[in-house]
Amino acid sequence: MEIKRNDPCHCGSGKKYKKCCLKKASIIQIHEVKEERFLQNKHMLVLKVRDFVNRQIPPTPYYKLQAEFKKRTHYSIHKKLENGFFEFWLFFFHRFENGLRGIEWFTQEIGPRLSEEERKMANTWQSLTPKVVQAVNIENDTIFFEDMLTKEQYPVAYVKENVPTLAPWYGTVTLLEPFEDVFYFNGVRIFEDPQSVNRAVEKIKELMDTTNQSQEHVMFDYFPEILAELLTDEREDKNEKREITEYTLQYKVEDEQALSSFIHRVEQFEIDTWDDKSKRCSWVGNWSEYTDSEITGPILIAEVYGKLFVEKDVLEFNSLNQTRIEEFKQMVQTLIDSSTLSYTNQKTNVITIPLNAEIRDMMVTTEKDTPQYFALYAQNDLRVQFDKPLRQFDGLSIKELIDTGRKDDADIWLKQMEYNMYLQVNQQHKNVETTADYNTVRKELGFALSPFVTGGDKRKSSFEQIEAPYQEQQILVVAEDIPYYEQLGFTPETSNNFYSEDFVTFFKEKTAGKSENTMKKYRNSLNDLRVILEQHSLTSWEECDQLFWNQVFVNDFRDLYETITKTVIKDFISTTKALAKWLDQEKRTSSLSKVVVQVTKETEEELIRSVELVKSTV
């Protein structure tokens, strides 16, 4: 339904439509028309300035100027942008033999023939002074850039033609042109990270000291050198490398079933896949928990000490930490003693990486409704690095920088980390609605909050080391064993009980090639013991003590039947004793067989007498 001018405004203000949103829409439309006209005029005037300057410079001097500009910028500008920056320098910075800059020469010669609108714009361009600016705030469609030397702030229009993208704390060397109540960038510009912006500022200060010139003169006269400093980090050789070593242990698998049982019992092993096609797991530890006010549940993080792979009859374990290699050798020594594994080889592989690169293999667990990019936030939480020495700060940590009075350096580092994470997460993920939290960290260190952090001053997060969380080890049932699990009464829900795999393995060994009666004996007896175990809250065979077995034979087993035969009793007792003996041998349980034998010796006669008593009563 169309709203009329005199109708109440649909926004709920109580005003007539013509006095409210219609008026606002008209103002916005007028501004958009003016802005479009302004941008068109800028483009047309640039073409006229280019045409004028090109006509004034013969080819040979023009190429010499190009060569000079490339040399002074240390060839740091990408080829696609090189010509644009060269022309920008010719128009606004370079002084020709007549002492005039390109825009001044153009205005003097062509100005009288320009329209009043063009002449006014050309005069404005003559008055612009270069600045090094950094984004320090954002409000709706306006980004506030701060002059890094004067600290004056400029509201810049956040429109695609002016600022295509946004990143926290980025900046540039530029000219800012006023239009109505905001500013627009004049000419080409390239936005760089906080550390690069700071380098450009330091270069200006250095030139001011060495030349004894004002900031404005330095920025006009040395624009190529300042631009090069913005684009090139001369203090860090990006080609500098270092070497790290990857260690690999190799074993021959002699007993695949025993190895599988061992892997699933060790809580520090996290199973990736473990079936006939692929057997892979990770050894993890050093657990941490990340919480954030923007998500519903915590994120758990663990360091991956190494990775284990089994292919055919070969086990490989690799790690970048030699200490973990030695610890793994000790961990699997029992498997070597029991002839489950046999050691075959150890090899090393040298890997070359950038000098400041750090390889961290982490495992991350999140809630289902947590956006994937929060894993990056948790893995890169700055609180992990507070006490770590940083090469760029002479080995000082962030906390040490602050303690020694270098708070500005720490602030630049914080801004750089926020900038890096913003770019990384937006490159890897689409629809990123929430930024990383740097405000909690800034509060802890005593810095002003970042305006680019989602949630502002209400955002809270934490990062703490925790004990390894209890995670029930998932027993992976191979397809060929499913019928055995079913025969013994296990369901998908109970097949993960601590005794389920042991029951199946024991049952297969005892019944292989045997008669139907033997299979029936073990199947029925193990089914009875499974039902009894399901009634108790136990997590390991070590908890099955003498008191437990007394309860089994005196009460639990007897309660399973309304009527019972001697054969069922004897089958159950002999099967349980055989299982206990097998567990002592295969699982190295401590004297389980001895306890079961003792309890059955004390209870068997009483069980049989109860059967005879029932028969005589009947």
Side-chain angles (χ1 to χ4, degrees), residues 11-22:
C11 74
S13 66
K15 298 178 181 179
K16 291 183 178 181
Y17 177 56
K18 67 181 181 181
K19 296 291 186 179
C20 190
C21 286
L22 178 60

Side-chain angles (χ1 to χ4, degrees), residues 19 44 76 87 122 127 140 155 258 266 269 274 278 282 298 325 430 473 536 551 562 578:
K19 296 291 186 179
M44 295 305 297
S76 59
E87 288 186 341
S127 67
N140 300 322
V266 178
F269 285 138
W274 202 272
S278 176
S282 301
I325 289 291
K430 295 181 179 179
Q473 292 293 306
H536 293 263
Q551 173 75 16
E562 289 185 12

Side-chain angles (χ1 to χ4, degrees), residues 129-133 147 152 154 172-176 215 219:
T129 57
K131 310 175 192 306
V132 179
V133 296
D147 187 315
E152 185 176 355
Y154 299 89
T172 188
V173 180
T174 189
L175 299 174
L176 284 173
Q215 172 193 329
M219 293 196 69

Side-chain angles (χ1 to χ4, degrees), residues 91-96 99-105 126 220:
F91 300 166
F92 292 98
F93 297 89
H94 175 69
R95 291 193 177 276
F96 293 90
L100 299 175
R101 293 181 295 130
I103 183 62
E104 294 170 342
W105 194 359
Q126 285 188 97
F220 272 120

Side-chain angles (χ1 to χ4, degrees), residues 72-104:
R72 290 179 63 184
T73 55
H74 302 162
Y75 306 94
S76 59
I77 305 173
H78 193 282
K79 286 195 176 294
K80 290 183 178 180
L81 301 174
E82 203 171 61
N83 191 61
F85 273 105
F86 169 63
E87 288 186 341
F88 184 52
W89 174 64
L90 279 185
F91 300 166
F92 292 98
F93 297 89
H94 175 69
R95 291 193 177 276
F96 293 90
E97 292 182 358
N98 59 10
L100 299 175
R101 293 181 295 130
I103 183 62
E104 294 170 342

